[in-house]
Each structure stands twice: as structure tokens, then as C-alpha cells.
């Protein structure tokens, strides 16, 4: 039986946020899903960006849904979702329905109380508003999406694609998620990586300061890299290098090196059969225990679990 997805359109709904799950999970021969779009009530819903939506169903559509998506909408910090929607989302969750918010849809999900005590994210422009309005939610502004099992949230619109692909991968494995990604012409798994192309958790630089030194370091992750070594390559003092590096990337040099090493380890776990000890040595982390420690801190998983999930 196909997995049933409901996409909730609220007043001010952002067209791209609505369209992403509607297209990703649209019924087709390769997809074991069926999708419907609904509103707080049947009829016309005024969306954002000059578009409106005519929906045939209201929240009664939740009764048959296995997953409900809550796309982002305008003015979330000052707009309360309808009480009927909040009640219906809570009831659906009690029945075991999975709830997923895209961008500012996290505000409507947070209004249910189901994110209290849990990690969540939203568009970076609204993370402080979300934390201020719902102080029991542990807002993480540095991630593309957060999976808390039966409640999920994502950052801006494009991150909604990452969240959808993550759910397809979670439901049916990497093969189907890669098929969907190719159809969308999207990165198969931007936050977690996949068999051919691994994303980098090292931060994108805001400028070009020390870009040459960063490139030089990425080619030498298996060797000793210290603050002094990096500063010497950049031909500045260690103090100057550290200060300007943080300004450019938001990370200290050694935090950046650690994340780069973990990223390389992710790639090796995906595309090679090297043991965890060998991977640790290849990326400059020394021992399997050290690799496991940093994997857990940065990715929230172990190297073995990561390989089982993301290797081809």
C-alpha cells in the first residue's frame, strides 16, 4: 500500500515550500507514495508571492495520512496557525502520523508542543524568532534539517528537498532516493552524503582569506596539521591567522581541520571497504576510538552506522 502524504497549505504559504513535497512524492510508477494537498478548510487559500491555492480538503485529510508536511508561510513570528490545524496535527501525531515542517512551517509544528524538548531548525532568518516564541524548543541554526523520528524540521526552501530525499532514503533506501534526486536534478543527500559525492561539513568561507592554505591543508589531512603549520604556510603569525580564520569561516583553524577530517572519513566509509582503524589513520585522526568520538560529536552517529546507512 502506498505511503500517503498530505501537504498542508496555510495562509501565506510559500509556493516553493508547497511544491517541493507535492512534486517529490507525486504518484508515479517508481514511487510508493501518493500525495494530496489540503488546507485548514476546503476552498481558496491565499498564499505568498501572489499565488493562491484551491484545495479540495481540509484537515480531515490528516485522518488518512502517514506523513504530513507543513510548508513555510509568511510572517510566522506574528501569525498563529488556526486552532483547528494545531488540534488536528496533535491528533494525527497521536495516531502515529509523521510530521515534517519545511522552513517556517516549523512555527506551526512548534505551536502543537510536539517540538518541546527536541532539536529543530527553520530558515536562518527566523531561528531567533522561533527560539524566542517557543523557548522549550532546542533551535539549531547550523543544520539543513533535523530528524527527531516522528517530527522533522528543515531550514530554507532548498533544504526541503534535502528533507524529502532523507525521508525517501529512510523509508526505501539510497537507491530510490538517488532516482528521485536525479529526477529533480538535485544533490542526492546534501547534509549526510552519498556514494559518489560527499558534502562538506567544513563551513563555506565568507571570503577568500587563506583559501590557498585551506586547499593546501585539505590535501594533507593524513599528516600533522597544527595552528603553527597552517600559519607558516599562510605567512602570518599564528595569532593573526587564527583571528582572521575565525572571521572568515566562523570556526577556529583546528575546528575546521577536525571537520575536514570527519568529512574525508565519511567519504572513505561510503566508497571504500577500509576498516574504521584504517580510515582513522587515512584522515589523520589516529585511532578508531578517536574517529568514533568525533563522529558522535559532529554527526551524532558512529562510523559503522554511517557506513551502513550511506554506503552504496
Amino acid at each position: 500500500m502506498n505511503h500517503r502524504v498530505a501537504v498542508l497549505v496555510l495562509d501565506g504559504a510559500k509556493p516553493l515550500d508547497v511544491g517541493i513535497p507535492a512534486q517529490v512524492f507525486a504518484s508515479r510508477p517508481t514511487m510508493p507514495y501518493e500525495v494530496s494537498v489540503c488546507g485548514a478548510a476546503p476552498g481558496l487559500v491565499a498564499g505568498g508571492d501572489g499565488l493562491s491555492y484551491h484545495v479540495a480538503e481540509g484537515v480531515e485529510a490528516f485522518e488518512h495520512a502517514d506523513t504530513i508536511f507543513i510548508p513555510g508561510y509568511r510572517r510566522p513570528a506574528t501569525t498563529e496557525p488556526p486552532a483547528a490545524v494545531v488540534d488536528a496535527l496533535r491528533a494525527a501525531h497521536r495516531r502515529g502520523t509523521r510530521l515534517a515542517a519545511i522552513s517556517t512551517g516549523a512555527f506551526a509544528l512548534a505551536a502543537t508542543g510536539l517540538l518541546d524538548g527536541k532539536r529543530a531548525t527553520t530558515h536562518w532568518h527566523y531561528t531567533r524568532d522561533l527560539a524566542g516564541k517557543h523557548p522549550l524548543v532546542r533551535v539549531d541554526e547550523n543544520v539543513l534539517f533535523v530528524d527527531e523520528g516522528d517530527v522533522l524540521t528543515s531550514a530554507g526552501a532548498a533544504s526541503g528537498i534535502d528533507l524529502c530525499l532523507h525521508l525517501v532514503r529512510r523509508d526505501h533506501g539510497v537507491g530510490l532516493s538517488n532516482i528521485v534526486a536525479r529526477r529533480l536534478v538535485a544533490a542526492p543527500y546534501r547534509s549526510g552524503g552519498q556514494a559518489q559525492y560527499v558534502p562538506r561539513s567544513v563551513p563555506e568561507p565568507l571570503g577568500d582569506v587563506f583559501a590557498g592554505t585551506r586547499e593546501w591543508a585539505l590535501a594533507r589531512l593524513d599528516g600533522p596539521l597544527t595552528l603553527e603549520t597552517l600559519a607558516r604556510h599562510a605567512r602570518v603569525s599564528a595569532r593573526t591567522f587564527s583571528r582572521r580564520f575565525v572571521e572568515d569561516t566562523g570556526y577556529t583553524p583546528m575546528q575546521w581541520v577536525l571537520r575536514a577530517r570527519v568529512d574525508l572519513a565519511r567519504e572513505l566509509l561510503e566508497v571504500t571497504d577500509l576498516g574504521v582503524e584504517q580510515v582513522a589513520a587515512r584522515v589523520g585522526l589516529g585511532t578508531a576510538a578517536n574517529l568514533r568520538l568525533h563522529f558522535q560529536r559532529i554527526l551524532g552517529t558512529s562510523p559503522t552506522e554511517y557506513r551502513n546507512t550511506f554506503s552504496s
Side-chain angles (χ1 to χ4, degrees), residues 90-267:
R90 288 173 179 154
H93 183 263
R94 287 195 296 269
R95 292 193 297 270
T97 302
R98 184 168 62 188
L99 307 180
I102 296 177
S103 188
T104 55
F107 283 78
L109 184 53
T112 66
L114 296 172
L115 291 179
D116 289 356
K118 295 183 171 65
R119 284 176 64 237
T121 194
T122 188
H123 190 285
W124 59 267
H125 186 76
Y126 293 97
T127 51
R128 290 186 180 181
D129 289 330
L130 181 61
K133 190 167 187 176
H134 299 283
L136 296 181
V137 179
R138 295 188 289 120
V139 180
D140 190 339
E141 62 182 4
N142 297 314
V143 295
L144 292 177
F145 62 83
V146 175
D147 182 345
E148 287 280 3
D150 54 2
V151 287
L152 302 93
T153 52
S154 70
S159 300
I161 297 176
D162 299 313
L163 176 60
C164 289
L165 291 175
H166 169 73
L167 287 178
V168 174
R169 180 191 292 266
R170 202 176 98 174
D171 293 344
H172 298 286
V174 65
L176 183 58
S177 69
N178 284 347
I179 290 173
V180 176
R182 283 193 291 271
R183 176 165 52 80
L184 297 172
V185 196
Y189 198 67
R190 220 162 29 119
S191 67
Q194 55 91 37
Q196 288 83 27
Y197 307 103
V198 61
R200 297 293 176 184
S201 68
V202 294
E204 291 293 329
L206 300 177
D208 294 327
V209 179
F210 305 136
T213 297
R214 287 194 295 270
E215 185 177 353
W216 177 85
L218 288 173
R220 293 165 176 80
L221 293 174
D222 58 338
L225 290 173
T226 65
L227 173 59
E228 290 71 22
T229 302
L230 296 170
R232 188 163 51 249
H233 181 273
R235 299 183 180 179
V236 296
S237 70
R239 182 175 179 178
T240 297
F241 182 83
S242 183
R243 174 177 56 80
R244 296 181 66 190
F245 197 97
V246 171
E247 291 173 353
D248 196 42
T249 67
Y251 285 80
T252 68
M254 300 321 295
Q255 286 173 332
W256 182 91
V257 168
L258 175 59
R259 284 179 169 268
R261 283 174 164 156
V262 169
D263 278 340
L264 179 57
R266 292 159 71 183
E267 186 171 4

Side-chain angles (χ1 to χ4, degrees), residues 4-30:
R4 294 162 296 189
V5 175
V7 181
L8 172 66
V9 180
L10 296 173
D11 285 343
K14 299 178 180 180
L16 188 54
D17 293 7
V18 173
I20 287 169
Q23 181 170 348
V24 169
F25 298 102
S27 299
R28 48 176 43 89
T30 59

Side-chain angles (χ1 to χ4, degrees), residues 265-298:
R266 292 159 71 183
E267 186 171 4
L268 292 174
L269 290 168
E270 290 179 6
V271 302
T272 75
D273 294 325
L274 293 173
V276 175
E277 198 78 40
Q278 293 172 296
V279 170
R282 285 275 191 100
V283 303
L285 288 175
T287 66
N290 204 25
L291 178 63
R292 292 188 188 98
L293 173 66
H294 294 304
F295 245 68
Q296 188 63 46
R297 284 179 175 174
I298 293 175

